[in-house]
Amino acid sequence: MAPLTIYYVAVGDNGVSGPAIGCGDSLVATATAPVRFTDQVGPSINTLLANKSRDIGLSGLVNVLYQSSLTYLGGELNGSTITIWLSGQFMLGGVCDIPRAKAQLEYTAMTASGATSAQVFVNGRPIDEVLSLK
């Protein structure tokens, strides 16, 4: 039993509060109330995807996945890489939300699993391909 670490976006923070991600933003770790789990990845990703609020309280942090209809299907740790599989659709608010959404998913999965890299698949396709504007 422990808190889960969920990542949200500090828009326009330029890497001050956490890792810098696209469009001059930062990724910021937040902690949930303690929860009981056997595998942290599923509960962490499910908590992130279940949050349907854009604004995270009065923190100034934003959840760009709030309108997306994504479902966690599973995850697998292979060496130092966590791979997660999702189904559903992204509903994002513009080009800057692409690196934000990807970072929220990857960092939440990496922290939950202790991995140093992440691969995200949506409907069987790599996230970069799903979120590509081409």
Side-chain angles (χ1 to χ4, degrees):
M1 188 153 164
L4 301 173
T5 301
I6 311 297
Y7 282 85
Y8 295 110
V9 179
V11 176
D13 189 63
N14 289 313
V16 172
S17 302
I21 57 171
C23 295
D25 305 323
S26 298
L27 207 56
V28 179
T30 65
T32 67
V35 295
R36 189 176 305 280
F37 55 80
T38 50
D39 156 37
Q40 238 180 292
V41 178
S44 295
I45 297 296
N46 282 326
T47 298
L48 174 63
L49 297 177
N51 184 347
K52 296 304 177 188
S53 297
R54 179 185 182 276
D55 299 310
I56 308 307
L58 300 174
S59 65
L61 300 177
V62 172
N63 175 21
V64 301
L65 296 167
Y66 78 106
Q67 295 182 102
S68 297
S69 58
L70 296 167
T71 302
Y72 175 76
L73 300 176
E76 179 181 33
L77 184 62
N78 189 344
S80 62
T81 301
I82 181 71
T83 301
I84 62 168
W85 291 274
L86 307 173
S87 65
Q89 301 295 319
F90 284 97
M91 180 68 77
L92 301 175
V95 69
C96 284
D97 277 359
I98 293 171
R100 294 170 182 159
K102 183 179 176 194
Q104 279 189 260
L105 289 163
E106 289 179 347
Y107 275 79
T108 298
M110 286 188 299
T111 300
S113 64
T116 55
S117 65
Q119 294 181 319
V120 179
F121 290 88
V122 182
N123 302 323
R125 295 167 52 211
I127 191 170
D128 288 334
E129 185 181 303
V130 174
L131 294 178
S132 171
L133 297 175
K134 294 177 184 159

